[in-house]
């Protein structure tokens, strides 16, 4: 992509307008942020024509690459024919997409899909259908999970910084320790988590409608449970008639080396939620479940924009592209090599204390002398990597985990170049101790 001679207002003007016309709750990465004006496959471009290899893809969204012509061509074609009617009129792309998901994409006996616009809406709908099906009010969730910013999804979100409403219903959710603790090995932390769940279920197991989990906690710091963790959890929940909701907003559509993250753990959830990568940048979300559970969502409901022709046609193009290009397998293979490369850097640099993840969903935890320095070092790494032409994300409870969620089309040579640049940045960081 070449830089076009176009009048861009520049980063400083954008920051000023955000301050003048936006809300103070929004922020941006970097002390010296670029103005992003273009994207092509695995790269982004700024107002000066500089290119960046994108290892964050808009928080795990643009999995098939920016402005991928195989996808955008079909988006444009649908835009020129029909944009919107709402679900009260009959259009074909939405039902074709639902059929496609039911036949070979969704795991197990998940067949029914309700389309919405975002991950928060998808999780909100999943929690609603769980309540309607079980006739119960309360929920279980893992500490430090993120499930959305609507009222009900914020109630089940366990990361303090995203529980922004001071009037959340503190009675509705019981939080269970997640299967991770820096002071414990993974197996012991997972066992502690399930022991805590068993105690809660013994006390009030018949009050919960569902437990909502991310197969891999993304914003919580790329936390991967042991292979046996969710199968034991599901067996425990089933004894009490509690549904399991798999939040696949970040982990879905090949990101982890499987079509859905929960498939690594050998179980089928009762409800599965999705968004992000399904639209590759076009807003779409959905929650899918079984015939039996779907039958409980039987009072009038709709989504004005959910399943609109443009988002549905785009999602169908995304599914075609993932299949044709073998991106699930590529995520497993090349993403695995990315994680191996990060582990080699961990062995070399004391600032990296852990590397976690699966496929193209990886995290490298940064640790300084204390929590403040850890977060500061993370920001320094992001700034330096940006200056070298690499966009990396960050997450974790302390905002000290480098997040790698690149487009699944990213060439290996660009991943190698990123690892080399990160090696140099980490080497310079060591001198700050």
């Amino acid at each position: 992509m070449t830089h076009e001679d176009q009048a861009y207002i520049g980063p400083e003007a954008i920051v000023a307008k955000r301050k003048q016309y936006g809300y103070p709750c929004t922020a941006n990465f970097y002390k010296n942020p670029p103005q992003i004006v273009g994207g092509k496959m695995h790269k982004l471009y700024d107002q000066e024509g500089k290119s960046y290899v994108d290892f964050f893809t808009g928080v795990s969204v643009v999995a098939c690459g920016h402005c991928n012509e195989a996808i955008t061509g079909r988006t444009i074609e649908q835009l020129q024919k029909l944009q919107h009617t709402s679900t009260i009129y009959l259009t074909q792309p939405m039902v074709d997409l639902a059929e496609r998901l039911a036949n070979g994409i969704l795991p197990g006996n998940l067949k029914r899909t309700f389309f919405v616009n975002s991950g928060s809406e998808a999780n909100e709908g999943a929690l609603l259908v769980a309540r309607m099906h079980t006739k119960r009010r309360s929920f279980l969730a893992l500490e430090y999970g993120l499930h959305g910013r609507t009222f009900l999804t914020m109630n089940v979100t366990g990361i303090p910084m995203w529980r922004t409403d001071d009037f959340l219903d503190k009675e509705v959710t019981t939080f269970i320790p997640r299967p991770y603790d820096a002071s414990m090995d993974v197996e012991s932390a997972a066992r502690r988590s399930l022991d805590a769940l068993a105690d809660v279920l013994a006390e009030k197991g018949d009050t919960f409608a569902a437990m909502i989990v991310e197969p891999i906690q993304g914003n919580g710091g790329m936390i991967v449970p042991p292979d046996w963790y969710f199968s034991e959890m599901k067996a425990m929940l089933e004894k009490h008639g509690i549904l399991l909701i798999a939040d696949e907003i970040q982990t879905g559509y090949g990101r982890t080396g499987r079509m859905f993250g929960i498939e690594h753990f050998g179980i089928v959830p009762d409800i599965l939620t999705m968004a992000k990568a399904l639209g590759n940048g076009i807003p779409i979300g959905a929650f899918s479940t079984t015939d039996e559970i779907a039958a409980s969502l039987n009072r009038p409901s709709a989504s004005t924009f959910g399943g609109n022709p443009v988002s549905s046609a785009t999602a169908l193009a995304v599914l075609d592209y993932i299949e044709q290009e073998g991106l699930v397998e590529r995520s497993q293979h090349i993403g695995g090599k990315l994680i191996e490369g990060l582990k080699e850097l961990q062995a070399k640099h004391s600032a990296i204390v852990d590397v976690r993840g699966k496929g193209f969903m990886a995290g490298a935890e940064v640790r300084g002398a204390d929590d403040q320095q850890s977060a500061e070092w993370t920001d320094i790494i992001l700034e330096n990597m940006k200056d070298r032409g690499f966009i990396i994300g960050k997450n974790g409870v302390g905002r000290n985990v480098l997040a790698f969620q690149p487009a699944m089309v990213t060439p290996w040579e660009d991943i190698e170049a990123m690892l080399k640049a990160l090696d140099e940045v980490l080497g310079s960081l060591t001198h700050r101790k």
Side-chain angles (χ1 to χ4, degrees):
M1 179 176 179
T2 58
H3 174 58
E4 298 177 0
D5 187 16
Q6 184 173 346
Y8 297 113
I9 63 174
E12 291 184 2
I14 291 175
V15 169
K17 287 191 177 187
R18 285 174 64 149
K19 289 181 178 179
Q20 184 175 3
Y21 300 111
Y23 283 73
C25 60
T26 58
N28 57 271
F29 282 3
Y30 308 125
K31 290 182 179 179
N32 298 302
Q35 177 183 347
I36 302 300
V37 301
K40 188 65 178 175
M41 298 306 282
H42 65 294
K43 291 187 176 181
L44 291 169
Y45 300 84
D46 70 13
Q47 80 283 0
E48 296 178 346
K50 181 178 178 178
S51 67
Y52 304 83
V53 181
D54 186 3
F55 277 85
F56 203 35
T57 56
V59 196
S60 199
V61 171
V62 193
C64 295
H66 296 278
C67 302
N68 184 327
E69 293 178 3
I71 296 169
T72 59
R74 287 168 63 177
T75 305
I76 293 167
E77 180 184 359
Q78 183 61 55
L79 271 168
Q80 293 173 331
K81 291 194 298 185
L82 178 67
Q83 286 180 262
H84 172 75
T85 63
S86 91
T87 55
I88 61 176
Y89 301 99
L90 302 183
T91 59
Q92 186 172 333
M94 181 174 67
V95 295
D96 284 350
L97 178 57
E99 181 182 38
R100 180 76 174 275
L101 292 174
N103 295 319
I105 303 294
L106 291 166
N109 58 344
L110 305 184
K111 300 294 182 185
R112 303 274 181 163
T113 299
F114 191 111
F115 292 104
V116 290
N117 307 287
S118 68
S120 291
E121 277 188 80
N123 283 335
E124 187 90 10
L127 295 167
L128 170 63
V129 72
R131 276 182 166 175
M132 294 185 71
H133 184 70
T134 63
K135 311 300 183 186
R136 299 173 182 176
R137 177 175 181 268
S138 300
F139 298 105
L140 291 154
L142 292 175
E143 292 177 348
Y144 304 117
L146 175 62
H147 300 291
R149 297 181 180 88
T150 58
F151 182 73
L152 196 52
T153 59
M154 199 179 290
N155 269 288
V156 296
T157 288
I159 300 179
M161 71 175 289
W162 297 126
R163 290 173 61 85
T164 52
D165 188 337
D166 291 332
F167 299 97
L168 292 174
D169 186 349
K170 294 179 173 59
E171 301 297 319
V172 77
T173 305
T174 298
F175 288 99
I176 304 299
R178 65 178 177 172
Y180 173 79
D181 188 309
S183 66
M184 305 170 69
D185 63 80
V186 174
E187 298 282 323
S188 297
R191 182 55 57 197
R192 179 199 62 167
S193 174
L194 292 184
D195 287 346
L197 176 60
D199 290 341
V200 170
L201 294 179
E203 179 184 353
K204 50 182 179 179
D206 60 351
T207 66
F208 298 108
M211 182 162 188
I212 186 167
V213 299
E214 299 163 275
I216 296 174
Q217 284 191 344
N219 280 264
M222 305 303 192
I223 304 303
V224 184
D227 292 344
W228 50 265
Y229 178 74
F230 286 119
S231 60
E232 290 198 20
M233 174 189 286
K234 186 143 193 329
M236 295 167 66
L237 297 175
E238 286 178 348
K239 291 179 180 179
H240 296 270
I242 302 168
L243 303 181
L244 179 64
I245 302 171
D247 176 346
E248 296 271 3
I249 309 303
Q250 286 201 47
T251 51
Y253 295 98
R255 170 62 58 191
T256 69
R258 297 286 183 91
M259 184 60 79
F260 296 103
I262 201 68
E263 293 178 297
H264 289 284
F265 303 94
I267 65 162
V268 176
D270 298 293
I271 307 171
L272 184 148
T273 64
M274 64 195 83
K276 289 187 183 283
L278 179 59
N280 203 55
I282 297 296
I284 189 171
F287 54 101
S288 300
T289 190
T290 64
D291 290 340
E292 179 188 4
I293 295 172
S296 298
L297 190 56
N298 52 18
R299 301 176 193 173
S301 187
S303 175
T304 300
F305 295 106
N308 71 78
V310 176
S311 62
S312 296
T314 302
L316 285 164
V318 167
L319 294 176
D320 285 344
Y321 190 82
I322 289 173
E323 180 181 348
Q324 291 163 7
E325 299 299 319
L327 294 189
V328 178
E329 295 78 13
R330 192 175 193 280
S331 178
Q332 183 180 29
H333 175 58
I334 304 299
K337 292 177 66 177
L338 166 62
I339 291 173
E340 289 174 7
L342 292 171
K343 287 182 177 180
E344 290 175 4
L345 294 183
Q346 176 190 354
K348 185 175 179 181
H349 299 282
S350 60
I352 302 297
V353 295
D354 197 13
V355 172
R356 304 181 289 265
K358 285 184 180 291
F360 276 132
M361 186 171 182
E365 184 170 348
V366 177
R367 177 55 59 188
D370 52 31
D371 290 346
Q372 180 178 346
Q373 187 178 66
S374 300
E376 289 173 354
W377 279 8
T378 301
D379 286 340
I380 290 170
I381 293 168
L382 262 61
E383 194 84 34
N384 277 273
M385 290 298 288
K386 176 261 299 178
D387 292 343
R388 293 166 183 254
F390 301 97
I391 300 292
I392 296 173
K394 67 174 178 178
N395 56 36
V397 178
R399 310 302 288 167
N400 65 315
V401 178
L402 303 174
F404 302 87
Q405 295 164 287
M408 296 188 293
V409 298
T410 306
W412 172 244
E413 54 265 30
D414 285 324
I415 296 173
E416 280 188 308
M418 184 280 295
L419 292 169
K420 181 179 179 182
L422 183 58
D423 185 14
E424 295 170 355
V425 169
L426 290 170
S428 66
L429 185 68
T430 304
H431 299 304
R432 296 174 179 269
K433 288 189 174 182

